[in-house]
Every structure is written in structure tokens, then in C-alpha cells.
Amino acid sequence: MANYPTPHINATPADFAPTVLMPGDPLRAKFIAETFLEDAKLVNNVRGIQGYTGTYEGTRVSVMASGMGMPSMGIYSYELFNFFEVQNILRIGSAGAYSEALRVRDIVLGMGACTNSNYAEQYGLPGTFTPIADWSLLRTCADIADELGLRCHVGNILSSDTFYRDDESVSSWAKMGVLATEMEAAALYMNAARCGKKALAICTVSDHLITGEATTAEERQTSFTDMMELALKTVKRLGD
């Protein structure tokens, strides 16, 4: 018996490419599809979580929103990996910088994803699991960023369960070399590990938690095109 459609994705495996780009924002998914993909087709719109499949320079690729936070990313990436035969998920989102070496609009590739979440509790492990990116995706993406001359940093990020905190702890993460914070990568990396699939988080610095510099919501939705093209070129190279 087929496990699709699911409560969250009204599609079939044939509707998705092997690689899915996942922004948090459904409107960013729509922007990417309309701006970069040829023959983009809407394949999901349950709860307004828009998903599209088309081609980029001849390579078939899908883009679908994940929503905000690890529970939401956990649901969508789990279903894509387990029920829709997706092999690779590249998160393309925004992050807040912890490091003074980063500037707003720089790109961060999450080699590892620290977290204050209890997401890994479900696996019943006798210790602490370290969520990491797939090396082949990370290496390919970093190489392309170098070729394009982008300001790109590779390192640890923090996937936080909280956007607003009573106890602001930027310094405690920064002193351990964590570059930036976002809210989805750790769950994505854990789902990929459990499913034997591949994942990578590519984030643009939308605001700096030390300097206070920030972008607007509209800029985050439509202007982080370097990150979008970097992800798409990574998908193309994987398909070549």
C-alpha cells in the first residue's frame, strides 16, 4: 500500500526530483521556481507549503518549503526521504551571525549543526549524536562557491528551538566557534542520517547578532539569489 499522499504532501514520488531545495518560506520556494526553473509545475500546496518541480540548465530539480523550526522541517524532510524517494535535500535559508568574521549576506555552509533541541531523544542513543552534513554535498557546494568568488564560510551552526530567548547566549556558542544560528538544519541532518540519505544546509546571513545589522523580510524572500544559484549549481553538478 502506498504511503502517499501524506497528510502534508499531496503528490506522488514521480512528482519530485531526486534533489529538493528547501527554503523555510513558501514564498521563497515560489520565487525560486518562477525565477530559476524552466517548466516549473506546482506539485504540492497543502497548508500553503508550496512545492515545485522543473529543470535548471537541463537538470531536474524540486523546491519546496519546510516551514519554520525543527518540528516542521522534521515532518517534511522525513516524508520526502521515506515516502517520495528523494535522495538529497539542500536547505536554503537564513541565519543570524554569531561570528565577527561574518557579514550580512555572507553564505554559511553548515558542516555540523549543534542544537538545544531534544529531537535526537527519539533514537534512544546512549550518548550525544552529532548532526553533520553529507561530505559529498558539502565539498561540491564549497568548491562551486570558491569558483563563483562568493564570501562563503564552512563550519558549525546552531539549530535553535527558540527564536526569542529569556537568556541570550550568543557568547556561549560563539566562544565554541559556532558561526551562526538558524532553526532547521539539525533535524534535517538527523533525518538524513536515519534514512541513509544526504543533506546540506546553505544559509545566508540575514542579520548579525553582534553588530545588529539586519535585512528586511522582503529582502530575505527575494534577494538572497547568490545562495539560490549556489544550491542550483550544486544540484546540476551532482546530476552531471
Side-chain angles (χ1 to χ4, degrees):
M1 181 177 178
N3 289 308
Y4 53 84
T6 68
H8 311 96
I9 303 175
N10 186 18
T12 71
D15 291 321
F16 288 100
T19 300
V20 178
L21 307 187
M22 295 201 80
D25 184 356
L27 293 179
R28 190 183 296 159
K30 182 174 186 289
F31 174 82
I32 293 168
E34 293 178 346
T35 305
F36 296 103
L37 300 188
E38 295 181 1
D39 301 320
K41 176 186 176 183
L42 182 69
V43 297
N44 185 66
N45 198 22
V46 177
R47 300 183 179 218
I49 295 294
Q50 297 178 24
Y52 298 84
T53 296
T55 60
Y56 175 76
E57 296 182 355
T59 298
R60 192 165 182 257
V61 60
S62 298
V63 54
M64 190 176 87
S66 70
M68 287 192 292
M70 279 177 275
S72 187
M73 170 60 86
I75 289 171
Y76 289 106
S77 61
Y78 184 94
E79 292 185 1
L80 289 172
F81 281 145
N82 285 286
F83 307 141
F84 294 94
E85 301 177 9
V86 170
Q87 302 300 310
N88 314 295
I89 294 178
L90 278 64
R91 162 164 160 67
I92 46 173
S94 57
Y98 281 162
S99 170
E100 294 181 356
L102 271 61
R103 304 174 188 168
V104 167
R105 297 185 183 278
D106 281 4
I107 293 171
V108 179
L109 306 183
M111 180 166 57
C114 307
T115 186
N116 58 14
S117 168
N118 207 31
Y119 195 89
E121 180 71 16
Q122 63 181 305
Y123 303 119
L125 300 168
T128 301
F129 180 77
T130 303
I132 60 172
D134 174 76
W135 168 241
S136 62
L137 293 179
L138 177 61
R139 178 176 58 184
T140 300
C141 190
D143 286 347
I144 294 171
D146 285 343
E147 293 166 13
L148 295 174
L150 300 177
R151 280 186 54 88
C152 183
H153 311 259
V154 179
N156 237 339
I157 57 178
L158 169 68
S159 296
S160 178
D161 260 350
T162 48
F163 188 88
Y164 300 105
R165 290 179 55 87
D166 279 347
D167 175 23
E168 293 296 339
S169 53
V170 172
S171 61
S172 61
W173 291 105
K175 73 182 180 183
M176 296 301 293
V178 173
L179 297 177
T181 182
E182 50 84 71
M183 301 187 73
E184 290 83 26
L188 172 61
Y189 288 0
M190 283 188 259
N191 277 357
R194 182 66 181 88
C195 298
K197 302 296 180 71
K198 299 179 179 181
L200 173 65
I202 307 170
C203 295
T204 298
V205 175
S206 58
D207 56 296
H208 206 297
L209 301 175
I210 297 174
T211 68
E213 186 181 0
T215 56
T216 66
E218 183 178 357
E219 287 173 327
R220 291 193 293 274
Q221 178 184 312
T222 62
S223 72
F224 291 174
T225 52
D226 283 347
M227 169 182 66
M228 298 169 190
E229 290 189 272
L230 175 59
L232 288 164
K233 289 182 183 299
T234 299
V235 176
K236 177 174 171 53
R237 188 163 298 181
L238 291 171
D240 288 343

